[in-house]
Amino acid sequence: MRRPLIAGNWKMNNSVEESINLVRDLRDRELSEKVDVLICPPFTSLYAIINEIKNSSIKVGAQNMYYEDKGAFTGEVSPAMLKSIGVEYVIIGHSERRQYFNETDQLINKKLKAALTHGLIPILCVGETLEQREEGMEKETVKAQIVKAFKNIEKAEKVVIAYEPVWAIGTGKVATSEQAEEMSEFIRSIIATIYNSEVADNIIIQYGGSVKSLNISEIMSQPNIDGVLVGGASLNAEEFAKIVNFGEDKKGC
Ligand code: 13P
């Protein structure tokens, strides 16, 4: 049984004070127990947030990390550092990191390995650009990203995969549920080919890109979609709680 994972990626938003206010607002709401709830604040807020949610079911993830344990890597944060403060998840290879920070599939593969070695649950982001979709290259693109990211990876079933079409991120243009489902099913088939059907059946696949309380139920009704990675809409506690509580009328409102 795959347990739904509803995650908020706060991106580069919120001071420590704003982060604490937002997480308190979220924590004090009634949140569905049928799903795992995860928030990924910026590095500067992680420690404070983990203190705030100690007695709640909310989980915390980082948005990035480096693959080395320690050393002369100015500006980087290691998996061990994240682990030491109680971080459980880490987003790897978000399209914004691929696009603005030139992250390659090879680097992403190293980060994935390091996260698993340190017991962090990686959320591997994959997805095509608008040009790639218009050229009919979306499946080829996503397949290449997955094959390269999973090179020599054991414990693949521990990885969460987030399908985030680049053209749907922050644009208000949500992929149709058919498009998201088709790609998620395809991703599962790639995992079955690389590993086996048991791993493929157990791996969590999220959709990300303009998810809101208005479209969450439709997205989550798809058989191969097990959760969502929410950007903008996760910055508002009321809206994010509605997303978490999809299908449970009135809760979180
Ligand atoms: P939006 O929900 O703002 O489109 O962002 C999606 C995303 O990039 C989550 O990682």
Side-chain angles (χ1 to χ4, degrees), residues 175-187:
T176 65
S177 48
E178 290 78 22
Q179 287 170 325
E181 168 60 17
E182 190 183 346
M183 188 62 88
S184 302
E185 192 182 7
F186 177 66
I187 290 171

Side-chain angles (χ1 to χ4, degrees), residues 143-204:
K143 183 176 179 181
Q145 289 171 339
I146 290 185
V147 169
K148 289 176 188 165
F150 278 92
K151 192 170 173 208
N152 298 325
I153 296 281
E154 292 161 19
K155 300 191 240 170
E157 64 282 353
K158 296 246 169 6
V159 179
V160 174
I161 300 175
Y163 169 54
E164 298 204 306
V166 178
W167 48 272
I169 295 177
T171 57
K173 245 191 199 180
V174 62
T176 65
S177 48
E178 290 78 22
Q179 287 170 325
E181 168 60 17
E182 190 183 346
M183 188 62 88
S184 302
E185 192 182 7
F186 177 66
I187 290 171
R188 222 176 275 290
S189 75
I190 302 167
I191 296 298
T193 309
I194 305 175
Y195 297 94
N196 55 53
S197 58
E198 198 187 330
V199 175
D201 283 347
N202 286 319
I203 208 158
I204 303 276

